[in-house]
Amino acid sequence: MSNPQQLRYSKEHEWLSAADDGVSTVGITEHAANALGDVVFVQLPEVGDSVSAGETCGELESTKSVSDLYSPVSGEVTEVNEDVVNDPSLVNSAPFEGGWLFKVRVTDEPGDLLSADEYTAFSAG
Amino acid sequence: MSSTPLRHTALDALHRSLGATMTDFAGWDMPLRYGSERDEHNAVRTRAGLFDLSHMGEITVTGPQAAALLDYALVGNIGGVKPGRARYTMICRADGGILDDLIVYRLAEAEAPEYMVVANASNAQVVLDALAERSAGFDAEVRDDRDAYALIAVQGPQSPAILKSLTDADLDGLKYYAGLPGTVAGVPALIARTGYTGEDGFELFVKPEHAVELWQALTKAGEGAGLVPCGLSCRDTLRLEAGMPLYGHELSTSLTPFDAGLGRVVKFEKDGDFVGREALREAAARAEQNPPRVLVGLVAEGRRVPRAGYAVVAGGEVIGEVTSGAPSPTLGKPIAMAYVDAAHAAPGTPGVGVDIRGSHEPYEVVALPFYKRQK
């Protein structure tokens, strides 16, 4: 599977887009989506919520398990993907596109986000 | 993590070539799913699915007193099983606790009686040890046949048609819970009409060296019928929809069959003593006077999934515990099996919820099973 070059990645398997007017989009990677299996429920933060890098801000439920969703950055949530709330299978079918999770106005980000190549190596190991 | 290396079935290389996600299950490296577990589940409900179940534990019991031994060792009336038929039963401890649930096949009569006991993978050694110990004084032999068989299941409404194209065996004459020796795709097999999915289907016990050949023949025969390989993940949602208990979830040594709502498997009327008889008598009387928690179905109104161990609540009180839960592909809602206090067990009991990580989500109490196939 290929991880888009223009994104950056956390070790908790979230991806983060480059900021557009200070706002970045967050999703989970294809690797994570495959590991979860069919995602059947997502609980996302609400618009206006403050999220903190490395802390939980929601959950992803699949057939067999429930996983915490971590925010890769700190900031304020500006938008959540209602499509994925209504159809969680988008996380599996289009993790880097229609299956994005939320947008965040970034105030701080940790220095340890990975490049696509670094993440590919990390998730393979 | 266990330091014991995982065991592999005869189909291991094939699973990997099919891109299966593998998982450690009872010490075996087994396919969890090949693609989407929901698609696999739906294939079994509407067409057909192919399972590798070679991790199940086969134990052969032979000899003049094979039936007498099994009647003593198990809670069912095994002497009453006719040749070619199978029975669901349990093996209990002296205190009545369930050691395992089993299917016992009485193989077609040759000379001496021969039974095949199929135990859950996680309990196979326990069952083998218990049977060996309980065989003292009986003219019967208990044989560990776990390595003698691979087990392939074809389940789903298309399974009879698929199998028919590969065998001359009389499948129409083969009833549910029956088995007959035959040849499938040129491979000698015990063909059993059993399964764990709630669908019509077959389980094929073959020599491990024939497993790949049989799997490939079934795959080819099922191409036009929409047969797909299926992993343990959808096996679990299929059996949950069908309301079938799973050892370690609905059944355990801390429950007697009466506590599990399965007292009917205990046959007090059979001849002779059997292990657990006295304790099970008491358990039956206890259950009569003071109903134990009842195994019920729960259907979610929302979308959050109950998991094993979550508390069932009503009016702020804990009234039970979830034993298995999953999103049901067939119902399109999360479902669960749970033991709840008898006062809250009636279908439609209002105000029942499941504590899902601190939030009390509303659930409807329903009778099991959630799903019953149309015959």
Side-chain angles (χ1 to χ4, degrees):
Chain A
M1 75 194 72
S2 69
N3 295 300
Q5 285 294 332
Q6 71 277 20
L7 303 177
R8 285 175 302 148
Y9 299 86
S10 75
K11 288 184 175 174
E12 274 82 32
H13 306 284
E14 286 87 28
W15 56 260
L16 180 77
S17 74
D20 180 10
D21 278 348
V23 175
S24 288
T25 305
V26 174
I28 67 161
T29 65
E30 186 176 2
H31 173 82
N34 284 347
L36 282 171
D38 293 329
V39 176
V40 296
F41 172 79
V42 296
Q43 186 186 49
L44 300 177
E46 289 178 17
V47 172
D49 281 359
S50 290
V51 292
S52 301
E55 294 189 7
T56 63
C57 63
E59 59 187 38
L60 296 164
E61 190 129 34
S62 66
T63 306
K64 291 306 279 181
S65 66
V66 57
S67 304
D68 284 324
L69 171 65
Y70 297 88
S71 180
V73 290
S74 299
E76 183 190 330
V77 175
T78 61
E79 191 180 344
V80 298
N81 187 354
E82 294 296 339
D83 289 346
V84 87
V85 172
N86 294 326
D87 180 8
S89 72
L90 285 170
V91 173
N92 297 104
S93 59
F96 294 115
E97 291 151 5
W100 65 274
L101 298 178
F102 62 92
K103 298 190 181 190
V104 56
R105 185 174 302 281
V106 181
T107 56
D108 189 31
E109 64 171 72
D112 59 356
L113 293 179
L114 307 175
S115 71
D117 292 343
E118 286 166 341
Y119 176 72
T120 301
F122 169 77
S123 58
Chain B
M1 292 294 279
S2 158
S3 57
T4 316
L6 290 178
R7 302 180 68 181
H8 298 98
T9 78
L11 294 160
D12 187 71
L14 215 155
H15 297 318
R16 288 165 203 282
S17 74
L18 290 168
T21 300
M22 306 296 285
T23 188
D24 174 359
F25 186 86
W28 291 79
D29 202 14
M30 298 300 292
L32 182 65
R33 52 190 153 84
Y34 298 83
S36 154
E37 59 246 330
R38 191 168 17 197
D39 292 348
E40 292 170 19
H41 180 111
N42 291 333
V44 175
R45 284 276 177 264
T46 58
R47 304 186 304 274
L50 191 58
F51 296 82
D52 178 9
L53 304 178
S54 301
H55 59 309
M56 301 293 285
E58 295 87 2
I59 301 160
T60 302
V61 181
T62 57
Q65 288 191 293
L69 162 60
L70 290 170
D71 274 337
Y72 169 70
L74 313 181
V75 300
N77 179 7
I78 307 304
V81 180
K82 293 189 167 58
R85 300 306 301 265
R87 185 149 301 170
Y88 178 77
T89 186
M90 291 184 184
I91 182 167
C92 290
R93 303 192 301 202
D95 70 0
I98 302 166
L99 277 177
D100 200 10
D101 61 338
L102 307 165
I103 294 180
V104 178
Y105 296 87
R106 184 172 178 184
L107 304 182
E109 214 80 328
E111 289 136 24
E114 183 169 342
Y115 295 85
M116 184 169 67
V117 177
V118 181
N120 284 296
S122 53
N123 292 329
Q125 189 64 49
V126 169
V127 175
L128 184 65
D129 292 346
L131 286 178
E133 193 190 315
R134 294 174 189 186
S135 71
F138 288 94
D139 187 2
E141 187 205 347
V142 175
R143 189 170 74 225
D144 178 2
D145 264 348
R146 285 177 290 182
D147 293 335
Y149 293 104
L151 176 57
I152 294 175
V154 196
Q155 299 278 305
Q158 291 294 323
S159 56
I162 292 166
L163 203 54
K164 266 181 205 171
S165 70
L166 296 174
T167 184
D168 294 333
D170 175 21
L171 298 185
D172 291 332
L174 186 65
K175 295 193 176 91
Y176 188 53
Y177 262 74
L180 60 83
T183 302
V184 181
V187 167
L190 172 66
I191 306 169
R193 200 160 203 158
T194 47
Y196 195 52
T197 60
E199 297 300 329
D200 192 7
F202 301 88
E203 296 184 310
L204 307 169
F205 296 85
V206 299
K207 287 185 179 169
E209 59 263 38
H210 293 147
V212 169
E213 186 184 345
L214 178 60
W215 179 282
Q216 287 171 337
L218 287 162
T219 300
K220 194 158 190 303
E223 255 170 20
L227 172 129
V228 297
C230 294
L232 294 182
S233 182
C234 82
R235 180 170 157 91
D236 192 46
T237 50
L238 289 159
R239 71 92 195 166
L240 175 57
E241 285 184 351
M244 295 173 169
L246 174 62
Y247 199 87
H249 288 255
E250 286 73 37
L251 309 175
S252 72
T253 49
S254 62
L255 296 174
T256 71
F258 295 95
D259 301 312
L262 291 164
R264 64 179 182 276
V265 305
V266 181
K267 304 297 182 190
F268 291 117
E269 68 277 15
K270 65 180 172 178
D271 292 337
D273 194 18
F274 64 91
V275 178
R277 180 191 276 271
E278 198 184 319
L280 288 168
R281 273 266 186 236
E282 288 165 17
R286 240 183 0 252
E288 186 99 358
Q289 289 156 10
N290 185 15
R293 282 186 166 177
V294 179
L295 188 65
V296 299
L298 298 175
V299 177
E301 292 170 24
R303 290 163 76 171
R304 302 180 87 191
V305 184
R307 306 287 177 185
Y310 285 11
V312 182
V313 292
E317 303 282 317
V318 174
I319 57 137
E321 185 177 317
V322 171
T323 50
S324 297
S328 160
T330 305
L331 276 66
K333 295 172 180 177
I335 58 172
M337 286 202 270
Y339 283 111
V340 302
D341 292 342
H344 299 272
T349 302
V352 172
V354 176
D355 184 335
I356 298 192
R357 300 181 291 283
S359 146
H360 290 188
E361 302 280 330
Y363 273 76
E364 186 191 352
V365 179
V366 301
L368 292 168
F370 299 97
Y371 166 85
K372 208 166 189 176
R373 77 184 161 99
Q374 306 292 314
K375 299 200 178 169

